[in-house]
Amino acid sequence: MPRFLPSLAVFSALMFGLAGPAAALPGVEEAMKDRVLGRPDAPVTIIEYSSLTCPHCMAFHRDVLPELKKAYIDTGKAKLIYRDFPLGGLAMAAAMMARCAKPEQYFGLIEILFRGQAEWTRGEQPLIALSRIGRLAGLPDSEVQACFQYRDLWQAIKNSAKSAEQKYDINSTPSFVVNDQKISGSLPLEEFKKVIEAELAKKK
């Protein structure tokens, strides 16, 4: 069973935080809309389930995704939908903060979080480090702190991850669903290409 409950003592305040959004934060429905890279009508859909504290997820975003984006997403052959599957409280906090950002800032913030993962996850005050990253993305500190206490968003992300577990048997990160075909782990680029090419061939 994935570890969704917050592991940081300070993060336990989530359960007693804001049931609804602070004025400047998005509503839950808006925050939870799929974040999509690529054309909506692309023939191949790649759903990524990731945890922002997962080193293998970071490696996928660093080593594999840029090449997949160049070959398939930018050319209209595939689109990628990013969905949260946070393993632990710190990953949940990071996922919530990203969901509180403007949709057009989302993937840029995700990439910053992955690239700086070693720094913000291993410091003595990781939530403060997260807040700094949020400010760089244009989120005032007051909004970041309100987002960390946004109980309805916390529950929505937890429910979404639970749904992925039930629908696709997602139990680790990164995991992918490519046109209903589940892939566990960050495969080498060539293996991803084989799966995507096979799905494209079915569309011809």
Side-chain angles (χ1 to χ4, degrees):
M1 177 72 68
R3 294 174 291 121
F4 296 118
L5 292 177
S7 57
L8 300 173
V10 67
F11 205 58
S12 64
L14 270 175
M15 295 308 298
F16 306 99
L18 303 172
L25 297 182
V28 171
E29 184 176 345
E30 182 65 28
M32 291 301 295
K33 284 183 178 178
D34 276 338
R35 303 298 191 242
V36 183
L37 277 179
R39 288 172 43 179
D41 60 348
V44 174
T45 298
I46 305 165
I47 304 175
E48 175 190 356
Y49 290 96
S50 275
S51 175
L52 287 163
T53 55
C54 160
H56 297 294
C57 303
M58 180 274 292
F60 169 76
H61 277 253
R62 181 191 63 200
D63 302 330
V64 179
L65 182 57
E67 295 303 318
L68 288 182
K69 187 173 183 295
K70 187 186 304 181
Y72 296 104
I73 296 172
D74 292 346
T75 57
K77 297 176 181 178
K79 65 177 179 286
L80 181 136
I81 300 173
Y82 184 96
R83 291 182 182 164
D84 304 296
F85 200 84
L87 303 179
L90 188 54
M92 176 66 88
M96 292 173 69
M97 186 178 75
R99 293 275 168 185
C100 285
K102 291 180 171 61
E104 61 270 22
Q105 297 172 320
Y106 184 78
F107 280 105
L109 181 51
I110 289 293
E111 293 309 314
I112 290 170
L113 289 167
F114 275 128
R115 284 200 302 268
Q117 186 187 82
E119 288 74 34
W120 65 266
T121 60
R122 297 176 187 173
E124 292 183 2
Q125 297 178 305
L127 289 181
I128 291 177
L130 268 182
S131 297
R132 292 194 190 103
I133 294 171
R135 288 198 296 274
L136 289 174
L139 282 170
D141 191 62
S142 59
E143 290 183 24
V144 173
Q145 299 309 314
C147 188
F148 287 161
Q149 298 180 62
Y150 194 170
R151 184 177 59 197
D152 288 351
L153 180 57
W154 178 87
Q155 188 64 53
I157 293 174
K158 183 180 175 184
N159 290 346
S160 175
K162 183 66 175 177
S163 176
E165 185 182 7
Q166 294 171 341
K167 184 174 182 179
Y168 296 117
D169 194 30
I170 304 296
N171 53 31
S172 63
T173 58
S175 289
F176 305 87
V177 179
V178 181
N179 281 6
D180 293 326
Q181 178 180 343
K182 179 189 169 186
I183 300 171
S184 296
S186 183
L187 297 181
L189 176 62
E190 291 308 314
E191 293 300 314
F192 265 107
K193 284 186 173 182
K194 287 179 185 177
V195 174
I196 294 171
E197 289 292 343
E199 291 300 318
L200 286 171
K202 294 177 184 177
K203 302 294 183 179
K204 293 180 179 178

